[in-house]
């Protein structure tokens, strides 16, 4: 299975989504995400800044703040990525590759128990994630493996199989239009119950 071919296909499918359909699915994904115990009971959430057809996370940003949940976004430096507390959209400025990231006034986030909403292009029900090829999230989770990892996915992004390397860090849950996929085996569900209930 060719990773780049899968990436190209997923980008194409996202770009072809009619705007009204995309907006409806984005609202559905956001509403479902906010029902998860990991989010409802969190004091902080690490969020990505959506770009290039990704599910909208900026509406979620406002909703999380309204719920009194702190939000952090990633900033890239070299080959590494760190999260920084962000209080309003004006603190997000174009960074590497034009993706918005916290400006230099934002403070570094240190919340080991914060769930992380992770970007990606394709996912399996076992939790395999195909990202964009930079490895930033895999390296971040290698340093901080305790975070609960959640993705937002359009239905076509959930696939049967994906290539998987030893460096790839799987996700725990997939939020899609049809509901929530608990990845892996039953112990993952039990693990979430122990952490968030």
């Amino acid at each position: 299975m060719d990773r780049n071919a899968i990436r190209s296909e997923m980008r194409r499918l996202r770009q072809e989504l009619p705007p009204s359909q995309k907006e409806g699915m984005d609202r559905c994904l956001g509403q479902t995400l906010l029902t998860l115990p990991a989010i409802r009971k969190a004091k902080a959430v690490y969020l990505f800044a959506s770009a290039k057809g990704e599910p909208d996370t900026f509406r979620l940003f406002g909703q999380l703040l309204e719920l009194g949940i702190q939000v952090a976004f990633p900033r890239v430096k070299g080959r590494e990525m760190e999260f920084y507390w962000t209080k309003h959209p004006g603190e997000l400025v174009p960074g590497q590759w034009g993706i918005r990231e916290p400006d230099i006034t934002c403070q570094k986030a240190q919340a080991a128990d914060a769930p992380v909403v992770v970007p990606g292009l394709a996912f399996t029900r076992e939790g395999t994630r195909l990202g964009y090829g930079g490895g930033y999230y895999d390296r971040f989770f290698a340093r901080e493996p305790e975070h609960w990892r959640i993705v937002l996915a359009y239905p076509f992004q959930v696939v049967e199989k994906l290539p998987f390397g030893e460096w790839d860090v799987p996700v725990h849950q997939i939020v899609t239009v049809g509901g929530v996929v608990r990845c892996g085996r039953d112990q993952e569900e039990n693990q979430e119950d122990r952490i968030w209930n």
Side-chain angles (χ1 to χ4, degrees):
M1 300 174 72
D2 184 79
R3 289 172 179 255
N4 289 331
I6 298 169
R7 290 185 179 109
S8 295
E9 176 67 5
M10 291 299 163
R11 286 190 177 101
R12 182 187 67 78
L13 292 171
R14 282 198 321 207
Q15 289 170 355
E16 291 178 356
L17 277 175
S20 60
Q21 184 180 356
K22 181 182 186 306
E23 182 178 355
M25 287 197 289
D26 287 350
R27 287 183 181 276
C28 177
L29 295 175
Q31 290 169 357
T32 303
L33 181 82
L34 294 175
T35 68
L36 298 181
I39 301 296
R40 288 201 321 266
K41 301 189 178 186
K43 294 180 180 177
V45 170
Y46 289 4
L47 199 60
F48 70 93
S50 55
K52 301 178 182 178
E54 291 176 320
D56 178 29
T57 57
F58 293 105
R59 182 184 290 113
L60 271 172
F61 180 23
Q63 291 171 323
L64 290 166
L65 292 177
E66 287 175 7
L67 292 171
I69 298 172
Q70 286 185 290
V71 180
F73 285 89
R75 184 196 300 159
V76 169
K77 184 176 181 180
R79 287 178 48 79
E80 299 302 325
M81 179 185 75
E82 300 287 354
F83 284 82
Y84 292 81
W85 299 123
T86 310
K87 297 178 181 177
H88 57 80
E91 292 180 329
L92 294 169
V93 298
Q96 200 164 341
W97 304 294
I99 297 171
R100 294 168 71 182
E101 58 183 34
D103 66 27
I104 59 172
T105 66
C106 296
Q107 293 187 339
K108 185 177 176 181
Q110 293 181 321
D113 60 347
V116 182
V117 182
V118 187
L121 286 161
F123 316 95
T124 70
R125 291 179 174 272
E126 288 69 39
T128 304
R129 166 185 165 270
L130 180 66
Y132 294 87
Y136 292 99
Y137 278 85
D138 293 319
R139 287 190 291 276
F140 174 78
F141 291 129
R143 297 195 315 271
E144 298 190 19
E146 62 276 12
H147 293 282
W148 191 257
R149 302 178 292 276
I150 307 166
V151 296
L152 304 174
Y154 299 126
F156 56 79
Q157 293 180 285
V158 183
V159 299
E160 288 289 323
K161 292 182 181 180
L162 286 170
F164 185 79
E166 60 180 341
W167 60 87
D168 291 324
V169 178
V171 299
H172 296 106
Q173 288 178 306
I174 301 169
V175 174
T176 190
V177 174
V180 180
V181 177
R182 296 175 185 268
C183 301
R185 302 182 184 277
D186 290 341
Q187 62 260 30
E188 293 291 4
E189 180 174 352
N190 295 335
Q191 180 186 4
E192 186 197 20
D193 292 339
R194 287 198 302 272
I195 293 172
W196 301 110
N197 292 326

